[in-house]
């Protein structure tokens, strides 16, 4: 690979990392061709772009970004590396890895991930990534929490109005009697 080709790959990766808020770096080096094709097919079906890239190229592309990815050097960026990109959710790739591991024990390892510039290092972070809520889920919860007090006030006013009407009706009936 020539220096110009490497430069083009680094530029392309840097743009991809900058444009994609969710990416995972995995090690699937122990897979045979059939299992690798199965992993790539699953990635395609779930809207995940999966690329195998040299660690030095990944490192140089990450250096161009505003976020500090230096903690990936020496831990995440060694050995075989495949990068999974997803534009919409930080959970999709984690779910795919978990599902793939159910059918193929010890086949793929999460080396590191970046979810909205938050770094997760190590395979033990997979469950943490699965439990992360998406932006839409968090917005829905906030809206639900904001609506809850208003609903309580309205129901309290409605029930209070019914009680008040009942008391007035009882008092008017007593006066009439």
């Amino acid at each position: 690979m020539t220096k110009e080709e490497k430069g083009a790959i680094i530029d392309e990766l840097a743009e991809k990392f900058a444009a994609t808020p969710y990416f995972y770096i995995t090690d699937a080096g122990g897979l045979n061709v059939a299992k690798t094709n199965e992993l790539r097919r699953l990635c395609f079906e779930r809207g995940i772009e999966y690329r195998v890239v040299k660690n030095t190229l990944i490192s140089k592309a990450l250096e161009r970004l505003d976020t500090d990815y230096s903690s990936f050097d020496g831990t995440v960026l060694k050995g075989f590396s495949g990068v999974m990109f997803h534009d919409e959710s930080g959970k999709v790739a984690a779910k795919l890895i978990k599902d793939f591991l159910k059918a193929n024990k010890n086949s793929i390892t999460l080396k590191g991930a970046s979810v909205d510039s938050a770094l997760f290092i190590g395979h033990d972070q997979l469950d943490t990534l699965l439990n992360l809520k998406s932006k839409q889920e968090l917005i829905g919860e906030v809206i639900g929490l904001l609506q809850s007090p208003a609903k309580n006030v309205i129901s309290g006013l409605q029930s209070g109005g019914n009680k008040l009407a009942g008391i007035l009706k009882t008092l008017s009936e007593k006066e009439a009697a």
Side-chain angles (χ1 to χ4, degrees):
M1 189 180 301
T2 66
K3 193 172 188 175
E4 290 80 23
E5 290 172 332
K6 288 180 183 178
I9 292 172
I10 291 170
D11 291 340
E12 181 186 346
L13 275 175
E15 288 177 23
K16 189 72 176 171
F17 285 132
T20 308
Y22 314 107
F23 66 87
Y24 286 55
I25 300 175
T26 63
D27 182 354
L31 295 178
N32 61 27
V33 174
K35 292 296 179 185
T36 302
N37 288 338
E38 181 183 343
L39 176 64
R40 288 181 184 275
R41 183 183 49 76
L42 285 172
C43 287
F44 179 77
E45 288 172 358
R46 297 184 189 191
I48 298 171
E49 180 183 342
Y50 180 71
R51 297 175 65 178
V52 176
V53 186
K54 290 179 114 183
N55 290 321
T56 54
L57 300 178
I58 295 171
S59 179
K60 288 180 181 181
L62 290 175
E63 286 173 2
R64 296 183 179 185
L65 303 178
D66 295 334
T67 305
D68 180 21
Y69 290 100
S70 61
S71 58
F72 278 5
D73 295 335
T75 55
V76 175
L77 297 177
K78 62 182 187 180
F80 181 90
S81 292
V83 185
M84 294 180 170
F85 297 99
H86 196 270
D87 294 335
E88 298 172 13
S89 174
K91 292 171 84 168
V92 175
K95 180 110 175 78
L96 180 135
I97 292 169
K98 191 78 162 184
D99 292 345
F100 193 78
L101 283 171
K102 285 179 186 174
N104 307 285
K105 301 282 184 212
N106 302 323
S107 58
I108 187 170
T109 305
L110 173 67
K111 292 173 25 174
S114 175
V115 177
D116 283 329
S117 299
L119 304 182
F120 300 86
I121 298 175
H123 190 73
D124 58 328
Q125 296 293 313
L126 189 60
D127 289 330
T128 303
L129 289 163
L130 282 168
N131 293 326
L132 286 178
K133 295 189 186 232
S134 70
K135 187 176 182 179
Q136 291 80 11
E137 290 171 329
L138 290 173
I139 289 171
E141 284 185 14
V142 168
I143 290 172
L145 290 171
L146 291 173
Q147 287 179 342
S148 180
K151 288 180 181 176
N152 291 341
V153 168
I154 291 170
S155 67
L157 289 174
Q158 287 176 339
S159 67
N162 292 340
K163 285 181 184 177
L164 185 59
I167 291 171
L168 289 175
K169 183 178 178 183
T170 305
L171 289 175
S172 67
E173 287 174 358
K174 279 186 180 179
E175 286 180 9

